[in-house]
Amino acid sequence: MSPSVIRGIFDVFSLTSILVLLVLGMAIIVGMMKVFNMCQGEFVLLGAGTAYLSYQYFGSVLLGILLAPVVVGFFGLVLERTVIHRFYANPQGALLATFAIGLVIRETVQTRMAAQSSLVPAPISSSVNIGGAVLPIWRIVIMIVTLVLALTIALVLLKTSVGLKIRATLDNPELVASSGISTKWMYAWTYALGAALAGFAGAMIVPLQTLYPNLGYENLIPMFIAVMIGGLGQFAGPIAGAALIAIPGGVLSQFINPVSSQILVLCFAIVFMRFRPMGIFQRGR
Amino acid sequence: MIRLSESNPSIKKEKDKMNKTIRRKNLLKVSGITVGVLALSSTLLVAPSQAAPATGSPIKVGVLTDMTGAFAIVGKSNKAVAQFTIDEINKSGGVLGHKLVMDLADGGSAPDVATQAASRLVNQDHVSMVVGGVASFTRVAVRGVIATRGKTLYVWPASYEGNECTNNVWNTGSAPNQQVDPTVKYLLAQGKKTFFLAGSDYLYPRNILARVRQDVLAGGGSIVGEEYVPLDMTDASNLTSKVVAANADALFEVVVLPGTAPFIKGVVDAGYKGTIAGTLFDEGINPLIGTEAQGLIGVQDYYGPIKDAFSQSEVAKFNAQHPEAKGLFTSTFNAPAWYRSIYLWKAAVEKAGSFDTAKVNKAMDSVSLSKSIGGPVGFAPGTKHLKLSMYLGQSNGDGSETVLKSLGQISPYQCSAATN
């Protein structure tokens, strides 16, 4: 295989793993909880910001990556208990409220930033030569971490009692509540988990980009498309959805220009939604 | 996805409430418009003339820049440079016996905000002239408000993509012939034969790269690839791979912030060995690129280490007087252009002997400054652009610049369709 073919394949895997990593949190909040969380992108931004601040004050991006899910998860917990829980019966309200929260976070970051964008170095900045193609190790780390994280979450949700409680709460809260489980806190912790995952993703990807106020917001649309294609109601759908738009996007843009490939992928998403409006794992009705 | 149930009584109640609010809002709107029209007609009736200020009264200089939003860092520099220049002029006696005062308006890094800000400067504050704008979209949005309808002099102090020839508008930044031509000439002279062009997908990069293409082909080089990335594309790794695969001798890139650093870093890390050139590298932008800035080639109207005693002493004074903007006196933040803009306008006012827009506009056509930060500059009659001193620079990994060559004065840009 020529180096450019290796690079091409690598790019597709890299772009796909990044989108899947970004979508993990959304798969829980939007996919499973069905909260149209417009501030999901800002959770990503806050995670990236945590990595940046940790680099600035403690000189360690790695520490920031570990702190990001804790910080953003706690933020998500507080947000759920103060705002989000009021909107479970009112999806339009949730849409607006979370959009407003996202706007406030974005603008706050904007005014607090000294420059247009800030650099955050990768914890591992070296590259590895595979068959003549020089590939950055940090992207490989992201691929492995994404795979491990996605499998772990899926296992926890499907095989453990905590996962069972979460799924039961989202499926039939009355029944769960009457079984003596606090649905209030199940919702809050599930939302916090979704936020923590987004924060972690932000901290992981910011070394590949730079920290700027729209970092999360610009990823929001592909994230939402992934969830819509994947379908609501379960965890695996959005993950498959992310792969389904990232792979053609990555392959196409190697042959045609990125602008056209973006348009084609969006067209594909529209056509797909027309024929499978309930998502990839749509069951016969 | 979201279904509204008409039968749900609580939703119906909500809707009724909403309808009522809407009706009330309409009423408010109508009365608001009425008041607005009345207010407008009264201002039109009493609008004072800006032509003849009373002797010794201060003259307002409209300073339009982005104090908030994506370009806030540029705004911080622009505001400090404007204040510095105005203070300096006032210390030496002002303009025609009048002191200058800065009237600052925030363009918010957005064309709609900038339009309102410009309108306030011209229609409410009746400034004598407006200098400002960071991005080209701001210039395009405000030039009508200020120069065409506002009949006020507008100085556009930014390095830009060319072709601004509106009446009452004066360009004091460098144009493609002054930045791109010498850069490509240098690369060709270095033996670079094949070029890859990469940019963000909007007006500025497309126009700059069109000029690069023209220059490369005219100089006997060839273009092996040209690619644009959408502004909202957060990961340009596909473009990186294409650049590496094409393996051109030189990469001319106009991928703008925040994409610059990841793109250049990606290309360098992937093993690209050619020379990288562009229009947006200097002490202002390099720190945002990081150590990968090492070796970037470009041409600007000013770099920190240029050998010009006047520039050195002025910038030292600036850094001392404006510690809040220390280190922000850079070419990519348009600092030298802001400085000369106000001095060129002063020279034109003094030549015209009046603040009257039409007279100053006529005088601007041929004013020049024997010294300015970056070197002597002057308008060539009929061009609306400056003859500018330019420098070829190479970036260092620590963010600083090395001046490779002083290119002397380069003749001004010519508009293809002059509207003046």
Side-chain angles (χ1 to χ4, degrees), chain B residues 8-62:
Chain B
N8 186 329
S10 73
I11 288 177
K12 206 155 169 241
K13 217 161 79 188
E14 278 296 311
K15 275 182 91 180
D16 283 351
K17 216 157 76 187
M18 237 153 67
N19 282 339
K20 250 184 228 159
T21 329
I22 288 169
R23 273 201 295 277
R24 203 179 312 138
K25 273 197 186 137
N26 277 340
L27 192 70
L28 278 174
K29 213 157 130 196
V30 171
S31 52
I33 289 168
T34 323
V35 173
V37 167
L38 285 173
L40 193 69
S41 49
S42 64
T43 4
L44 285 177
L45 286 173
V46 297
S49 161
Q50 50 154 324
T55 328
S57 65
I59 293 289
K60 283 183 193 162
V61 173

Short mmCIF file of all heavy atoms in Angstrom, two decimals, chain B residues 8-62:
data_model
loop_
_atom_site.label_atom_id
_atom_site.label_comp_id
_atom_site.label_asym_id
_atom_site.label_seq_id
_atom_site.Cartn_x
_atom_site.Cartn_y
_atom_site.Cartn_z
N ASN B 8 -54.63 18.82 24.13
CA ASN B 8 -54.09 19.04 25.48
C ASN B 8 -54.49 20.44 25.98
O ASN B 8 -54.11 21.45 25.40
CB ASN B 8 -52.57 18.92 25.40
CG ASN B 8 -51.93 18.97 26.77
OD1 ASN B 8 -52.45 19.64 27.67
ND2 ASN B 8 -50.83 18.29 26.93
N PRO B 9 -55.27 20.50 27.07
CA PRO B 9 -55.78 21.80 27.52
C PRO B 9 -54.68 22.75 27.97
O PRO B 9 -54.79 23.96 27.75
CB PRO B 9 -56.69 21.44 28.69
CG PRO B 9 -56.30 20.05 29.11
CD PRO B 9 -55.72 19.39 27.92
N SER B 10 -53.62 22.22 28.58
CA SER B 10 -52.59 23.14 29.08
C SER B 10 -51.86 23.81 27.92
O SER B 10 -51.52 24.98 27.98
CB SER B 10 -51.60 22.40 29.98
OG SER B 10 -50.76 21.58 29.18
N ILE B 11 -51.68 23.04 26.83
CA ILE B 11 -51.01 23.62 25.66
C ILE B 11 -51.90 24.69 25.03
O ILE B 11 -51.44 25.75 24.62
CB ILE B 11 -50.64 22.52 24.63
CG1 ILE B 11 -49.48 21.71 25.20
CG2 ILE B 11 -50.27 23.11 23.28
CD1 ILE B 11 -49.05 20.56 24.34
N LYS B 12 -53.22 24.42 25.02
CA LYS B 12 -54.15 25.37 24.42
C LYS B 12 -54.09 26.69 25.19
O LYS B 12 -54.07 27.78 24.61
CB LYS B 12 -55.56 24.79 24.46
CG LYS B 12 -56.44 25.36 23.38
CD LYS B 12 -57.57 24.45 22.99
CE LYS B 12 -58.54 25.22 22.12
NZ LYS B 12 -59.86 25.29 22.73
N LYS B 13 -54.04 26.56 26.53
CA LYS B 13 -53.98 27.74 27.37
C LYS B 13 -52.72 28.54 27.03
O LYS B 13 -52.76 29.76 26.87
CB LYS B 13 -53.97 27.32 28.84
CG LYS B 13 -54.77 28.27 29.71
CD LYS B 13 -55.14 27.63 31.04
CE LYS B 13 -53.99 27.64 32.02
NZ LYS B 13 -54.24 26.87 33.24
N GLU B 14 -51.61 27.80 26.90
CA GLU B 14 -50.34 28.43 26.56
C GLU B 14 -50.46 29.21 25.26
O GLU B 14 -49.97 30.32 25.13
CB GLU B 14 -49.24 27.36 26.41
CG GLU B 14 -48.62 26.90 27.70
CD GLU B 14 -47.88 28.03 28.40
OE1 GLU B 14 -47.09 28.70 27.73
OE2 GLU B 14 -48.10 28.24 29.61
N LYS B 15 -51.15 28.56 24.30
CA LYS B 15 -51.27 29.19 22.97
C LYS B 15 -52.06 30.48 23.05
O LYS B 15 -51.70 31.49 22.45
CB LYS B 15 -51.94 28.21 21.98
CG LYS B 15 -50.93 27.27 21.36
CD LYS B 15 -51.58 26.37 20.36
CE LYS B 15 -51.55 26.95 18.96
NZ LYS B 15 -52.22 26.02 18.03
N ASP B 16 -53.17 30.43 23.84
CA ASP B 16 -53.98 31.64 24.00
C ASP B 16 -53.13 32.77 24.57
O ASP B 16 -53.17 33.91 24.12
CB ASP B 16 -55.16 31.35 24.95
CG ASP B 16 -56.25 30.57 24.23
OD1 ASP B 16 -56.12 30.44 22.99
OD2 ASP B 16 -57.18 30.10 24.89
N LYS B 17 -52.34 32.38 25.58
CA LYS B 17 -51.50 33.38 26.24
C LYS B 17 -50.52 33.96 25.22
O LYS B 17 -50.30 35.17 25.17
CB LYS B 17 -50.72 32.70 27.38
CG LYS B 17 -50.55 33.61 28.57
CD LYS B 17 -50.30 32.89 29.88
CE LYS B 17 -48.95 32.32 30.07
NZ LYS B 17 -48.76 31.49 31.24
N MET B 18 -49.97 33.04 24.37
CA MET B 18 -49.00 33.47 23.39
C MET B 18 -49.61 34.46 22.40
O MET B 18 -49.03 35.48 22.08
CB MET B 18 -48.46 32.27 22.63
CG MET B 18 -46.97 32.13 22.72
SD MET B 18 -46.44 30.44 22.55
CE MET B 18 -46.85 30.06 20.89
N ASN B 19 -50.83 34.12 21.96
CA ASN B 19 -51.52 34.99 21.00
C ASN B 19 -51.71 36.39 21.57
O ASN B 19 -51.51 37.38 20.89
CB ASN B 19 -52.88 34.40 20.63
CG ASN B 19 -52.73 33.28 19.62
OD1 ASN B 19 -51.70 33.21 18.94
ND2 ASN B 19 -53.71 32.41 19.54
N LYS B 20 -52.10 36.40 22.86
CA LYS B 20 -52.31 37.69 23.50
C LYS B 20 -51.01 38.48 23.51
O LYS B 20 -50.99 39.66 23.19
CB LYS B 20 -52.79 37.46 24.94
CG LYS B 20 -54.25 37.86 25.13
CD LYS B 20 -54.63 37.69 26.59
CE LYS B 20 -55.94 36.93 26.73
NZ LYS B 20 -56.11 36.33 28.04
N THR B 21 -49.91 37.78 23.87
CA THR B 21 -48.62 38.46 23.93
C THR B 21 -48.25 39.00 22.56
O THR B 21 -47.75 40.12 22.44
CB THR B 21 -47.51 37.48 24.37
OG1 THR B 21 -48.10 36.53 25.23
CG2 THR B 21 -46.38 38.19 25.03
N ILE B 22 -48.52 38.20 21.53
CA ILE B 22 -48.17 38.63 20.18
C ILE B 22 -48.93 39.90 19.81
O ILE B 22 -48.37 40.84 19.29
CB ILE B 22 -48.43 37.50 19.16
CG1 ILE B 22 -47.39 36.40 19.35
CG2 ILE B 22 -48.37 38.02 17.74
CD1 ILE B 22 -47.69 35.13 18.62
N ARG B 23 -50.25 39.90 20.17
CA ARG B 23 -51.05 41.09 19.85
C ARG B 23 -50.46 42.31 20.55
O ARG B 23 -50.31 43.37 19.98
CB ARG B 23 -52.50 40.86 20.28
CG ARG B 23 -53.33 40.18 19.21
CD ARG B 23 -54.80 40.43 19.42
NE ARG B 23 -55.31 39.85 20.66
CZ ARG B 23 -55.69 38.57 20.78
NH1 ARG B 23 -55.60 37.76 19.74
NH2 ARG B 23 -56.13 38.11 21.92
N ARG B 24 -50.10 42.10 21.83
CA ARG B 24 -49.56 43.21 22.59
C ARG B 24 -48.25 43.68 21.95
O ARG B 24 -47.98 44.86 21.83
CB ARG B 24 -49.31 42.77 24.04
CG ARG B 24 -49.30 43.95 24.98
CD ARG B 24 -49.09 43.52 26.42
NE ARG B 24 -49.94 42.43 26.84
CZ ARG B 24 -49.49 41.41 27.58
NH1 ARG B 24 -48.23 41.33 27.94
NH2 ARG B 24 -50.30 40.44 27.95
N LYS B 25 -47.45 42.70 21.51
CA LYS B 25 -46.17 43.05 20.91
C LYS B 25 -46.35 43.87 19.64
O LYS B 25 -45.63 44.81 19.39
CB LYS B 25 -45.37 41.78 20.59
CG LYS B 25 -44.54 41.33 21.76
CD LYS B 25 -43.48 40.36 21.30
CE LYS B 25 -42.75 39.80 22.51
NZ LYS B 25 -42.54 38.38 22.37
N ASN B 26 -47.38 43.47 18.83
CA ASN B 26 -47.65 44.20 17.60
C ASN B 26 -47.98 45.66 17.89
O ASN B 26 -47.50 46.57 17.24
CB ASN B 26 -48.80 43.56 16.84
CG ASN B 26 -48.29 42.40 16.01
OD1 ASN B 26 -47.10 42.33 15.73
ND2 ASN B 26 -49.17 41.51 15.64
N LEU B 27 -48.80 45.82 18.93
CA LEU B 27 -49.21 47.16 19.32
C LEU B 27 -47.98 47.98 19.68
O LEU B 27 -47.80 49.11 19.23
CB LEU B 27 -50.17 47.05 20.52
CG LEU B 27 -50.90 48.34 20.86
CD1 LEU B 27 -51.92 48.66 19.77
CD2 LEU B 27 -51.61 48.19 22.21
N LEU B 28 -47.11 47.34 20.50
CA LEU B 28 -45.89 48.01 20.92
C LEU B 28 -45.04 48.39 19.71
O LEU B 28 -44.49 49.48 19.63
CB LEU B 28 -45.06 47.09 21.82
CG LEU B 28 -45.49 47.04 23.28
CD1 LEU B 28 -44.69 45.99 24.01
CD2 LEU B 28 -45.31 48.40 23.93
N LYS B 29 -44.99 47.45 18.75
CA LYS B 29 -44.17 47.66 17.56
C LYS B 29 -44.66 48.88 16.80
O LYS B 29 -43.89 49.76 16.43
CB LYS B 29 -44.26 46.42 16.68
CG LYS B 29 -42.99 46.14 15.92
CD LYS B 29 -42.97 44.71 15.56
CE LYS B 29 -42.70 44.24 14.22
NZ LYS B 29 -43.06 42.90 13.97
N VAL B 30 -45.98 48.92 16.59
CA VAL B 30 -46.56 50.01 15.82
C VAL B 30 -46.26 51.34 16.49
O VAL B 30 -45.78 52.29 15.88
CB VAL B 30 -48.09 49.82 15.65
CG1 VAL B 30 -48.71 51.06 15.05
CG2 VAL B 30 -48.35 48.61 14.78
N SER B 31 -46.49 51.40 17.83
CA SER B 31 -46.24 52.66 18.51
C SER B 31 -44.75 52.99 18.46
O SER B 31 -44.36 54.14 18.32
CB SER B 31 -46.74 52.62 19.95
OG SER B 31 -46.21 51.49 20.60
N GLY B 32 -43.92 51.93 18.55
CA GLY B 32 -42.46 52.14 18.48
C GLY B 32 -42.06 52.76 17.16
O GLY B 32 -41.29 53.72 17.12
N ILE B 33 -42.64 52.23 16.08
CA ILE B 33 -42.30 52.74 14.75
C ILE B 33 -42.71 54.21 14.64
O ILE B 33 -41.96 55.06 14.16
CB ILE B 33 -42.98 51.89 13.65
CG1 ILE B 33 -42.31 50.52 13.59
CG2 ILE B 33 -42.90 52.58 12.29
CD1 ILE B 33 -43.03 49.50 12.76
N THR B 34 -43.90 54.50 15.16
CA THR B 34 -44.39 55.88 15.09
C THR B 34 -43.42 56.83 15.78
O THR B 34 -43.00 57.84 15.22
CB THR B 34 -45.77 55.99 15.78
OG1 THR B 34 -46.49 54.81 15.48
CG2 THR B 34 -46.51 57.19 15.31
N VAL B 35 -43.04 56.44 17.02
CA VAL B 35 -42.10 57.28 17.76
C VAL B 35 -40.80 57.42 16.99
O VAL B 35 -40.25 58.50 16.85
CB VAL B 35 -41.84 56.67 19.17
CG1 VAL B 35 -40.73 57.43 19.88
CG2 VAL B 35 -43.11 56.69 19.99
N GLY B 36 -40.34 56.30 16.43
CA GLY B 36 -39.09 56.29 15.69
C GLY B 36 -39.13 57.25 14.52
O GLY B 36 -38.22 58.04 14.32
N VAL B 37 -40.23 57.18 13.76
CA VAL B 37 -40.36 58.05 12.58
C VAL B 37 -40.35 59.51 13.00
O VAL B 37 -39.67 60.36 12.41
CB VAL B 37 -41.66 57.71 11.80
CG1 VAL B 37 -41.95 58.79 10.77
CG2 VAL B 37 -41.52 56.36 11.13
N LEU B 38 -41.08 59.81 14.10
CA LEU B 38 -41.12 61.18 14.59
C LEU B 38 -39.72 61.65 14.99
O LEU B 38 -39.28 62.73 14.61
CB LEU B 38 -42.05 61.28 15.81
CG LEU B 38 -43.55 61.24 15.48
CD1 LEU B 38 -44.37 61.17 16.76
CD2 LEU B 38 -43.94 62.44 14.64
N ALA B 39 -39.03 60.77 15.73
CA ALA B 39 -37.69 61.13 16.20
C ALA B 39 -36.75 61.37 15.02
O ALA B 39 -36.00 62.34 14.98
CB ALA B 39 -37.13 60.02 17.08
N LEU B 40 -36.88 60.48 14.01
CA LEU B 40 -36.01 60.56 12.85
C LEU B 40 -36.23 61.87 12.11
O LEU B 40 -35.29 62.58 11.76
CB LEU B 40 -36.30 59.37 11.92
CG LEU B 40 -35.29 59.14 10.82
CD1 LEU B 40 -33.97 58.68 11.41
CD2 LEU B 40 -35.80 58.09 9.83
N SER B 41 -37.53 62.23 11.91
CA SER B 41 -37.80 63.43 11.14
C SER B 41 -37.28 64.67 11.88
O SER B 41 -36.78 65.59 11.27
CB SER B 41 -39.29 63.56 10.83
OG SER B 41 -40.02 63.38 12.01
N SER B 42 -37.37 64.61 13.24
CA SER B 42 -36.87 65.77 13.96
C SER B 42 -35.35 65.89 13.86
O SER B 42 -34.82 66.97 13.73
CB SER B 42 -37.31 65.74 15.42
OG SER B 42 -36.72 64.63 16.06
N THR B 43 -34.65 64.71 13.88
CA THR B 43 -33.18 64.79 13.73
C THR B 43 -32.82 65.32 12.36
O THR B 43 -31.87 66.09 12.21
CB THR B 43 -32.50 63.40 13.83
OG1 THR B 43 -33.48 62.41 13.95
CG2 THR B 43 -31.50 63.34 14.93
N LEU B 44 -33.58 64.89 11.35
CA LEU B 44 -33.27 65.32 9.99
C LEU B 44 -33.41 66.83 9.88
O LEU B 44 -32.63 67.49 9.21
CB LEU B 44 -34.19 64.63 8.98
CG LEU B 44 -33.86 63.16 8.71
CD1 LEU B 44 -34.87 62.55 7.76
CD2 LEU B 44 -32.45 63.02 8.15
N LEU B 45 -34.41 67.35 10.59
CA LEU B 45 -34.66 68.79 10.50
C LEU B 45 -33.54 69.60 11.17
O LEU B 45 -33.17 70.65 10.67
CB LEU B 45 -36.00 69.14 11.15
CG LEU B 45 -37.23 68.72 10.32
CD1 LEU B 45 -38.50 68.94 11.11
CD2 LEU B 45 -37.27 69.48 9.00
N VAL B 46 -33.03 69.05 12.30
CA VAL B 46 -32.06 69.86 13.04
C VAL B 46 -30.62 69.38 12.87
O VAL B 46 -29.74 69.85 13.55
CB VAL B 46 -32.39 69.93 14.55
CG1 VAL B 46 -33.72 70.60 14.77
CG2 VAL B 46 -32.36 68.54 15.17
N ALA B 47 -30.40 68.39 11.96
CA ALA B 47 -29.05 67.84 11.81
C ALA B 47 -28.04 68.95 11.55
O ALA B 47 -28.17 69.69 10.57
CB ALA B 47 -29.03 66.85 10.65
N PRO B 48 -27.05 69.07 12.42
CA PRO B 48 -26.09 70.16 12.24
C PRO B 48 -25.08 69.82 11.15
O PRO B 48 -24.84 68.66 10.86
CB PRO B 48 -25.41 70.24 13.60
CG PRO B 48 -25.53 68.87 14.19
CD PRO B 48 -26.74 68.23 13.58
N SER B 49 -24.49 70.80 10.57
CA SER B 49 -23.48 70.56 9.54
C SER B 49 -22.14 70.32 10.22
O SER B 49 -21.80 70.96 11.20
CB SER B 49 -23.40 71.79 8.62
OG SER B 49 -22.18 71.76 7.94
N GLN B 50 -21.39 69.34 9.71
CA GLN B 50 -20.10 69.04 10.31
C GLN B 50 -18.99 69.83 9.64
O GLN B 50 -17.84 69.74 10.00
CB GLN B 50 -19.82 67.54 10.17
CG GLN B 50 -20.04 67.07 8.75
CD GLN B 50 -19.22 65.85 8.41
OE1 GLN B 50 -18.11 65.70 8.85
NE2 GLN B 50 -19.79 64.97 7.61
N ALA B 51 -19.34 70.60 8.63
CA ALA B 51 -18.31 71.20 7.78
C ALA B 51 -17.46 72.25 8.49
O ALA B 51 -16.26 72.28 8.33
CB ALA B 51 -18.96 71.82 6.55
N ALA B 52 -18.09 73.11 9.28
CA ALA B 52 -17.32 74.21 9.85
C ALA B 52 -17.39 74.19 11.37
O ALA B 52 -18.27 74.80 11.96
CB ALA B 52 -17.85 75.54 9.31
N PRO B 53 -16.46 73.51 12.02
CA PRO B 53 -16.47 73.49 13.48
C PRO B 53 -16.02 74.83 14.04
O PRO B 53 -15.22 75.53 13.41
CB PRO B 53 -15.46 72.39 13.82
CG PRO B 53 -14.57 72.28 12.63
CD PRO B 53 -15.36 72.74 11.44
N ALA B 54 -16.56 75.13 15.23
CA ALA B 54 -16.17 76.39 15.86
C ALA B 54 -14.68 76.35 16.19
O ALA B 54 -14.13 75.29 16.44
CB ALA B 54 -16.98 76.58 17.14
N THR B 55 -14.04 77.50 16.17
CA THR B 55 -12.60 77.57 16.40
C THR B 55 -12.24 76.95 17.74
O THR B 55 -12.85 77.27 18.76
CB THR B 55 -12.14 79.04 16.37
OG1 THR B 55 -12.98 79.75 15.47
CG2 THR B 55 -10.69 79.15 15.97
N GLY B 56 -11.27 76.06 17.73
CA GLY B 56 -10.77 75.46 18.97
C GLY B 56 -11.60 74.34 19.53
O GLY B 56 -11.16 73.65 20.44
N SER B 57 -12.81 74.11 18.98
CA SER B 57 -13.62 73.02 19.50
C SER B 57 -13.01 71.68 19.07
O SER B 57 -12.41 71.59 18.01
CB SER B 57 -15.05 73.13 18.97
OG SER B 57 -15.05 72.97 17.57
N PRO B 58 -13.16 70.63 19.92
CA PRO B 58 -12.54 69.36 19.57
C PRO B 58 -13.20 68.69 18.37
O PRO B 58 -14.39 68.87 18.13
CB PRO B 58 -12.70 68.52 20.84
CG PRO B 58 -13.76 69.17 21.64
CD PRO B 58 -13.84 70.61 21.21
N ILE B 59 -12.42 67.96 17.63
CA ILE B 59 -12.90 67.24 16.44
C ILE B 59 -12.99 65.75 16.77
O ILE B 59 -12.05 65.17 17.31
CB ILE B 59 -11.90 67.44 15.28
CG1 ILE B 59 -11.88 68.89 14.82
CG2 ILE B 59 -12.20 66.50 14.12
CD1 ILE B 59 -13.13 69.33 14.10
N LYS B 60 -14.15 65.16 16.45
CA LYS B 60 -14.33 63.74 16.75
C LYS B 60 -13.78 62.87 15.62
O LYS B 60 -14.14 63.04 14.46
CB LYS B 60 -15.81 63.43 16.92
CG LYS B 60 -16.38 63.87 18.25
CD LYS B 60 -17.83 63.45 18.34
CE LYS B 60 -18.51 64.13 19.50
NZ LYS B 60 -19.97 64.08 19.37
N VAL B 61 -12.92 61.93 16.00
CA VAL B 61 -12.42 60.94 15.05
C VAL B 61 -13.14 59.62 15.34
O VAL B 61 -13.04 59.09 16.44
CB VAL B 61 -10.89 60.76 15.20
CG1 VAL B 61 -10.40 59.62 14.33
CG2 VAL B 61 -10.17 62.05 14.86
N GLY B 62 -13.90 59.14 14.38
CA GLY B 62 -14.64 57.89 14.57
C GLY B 62 -13.71 56.69 14.48
O GLY B 62 -13.05 56.49 13.47
#
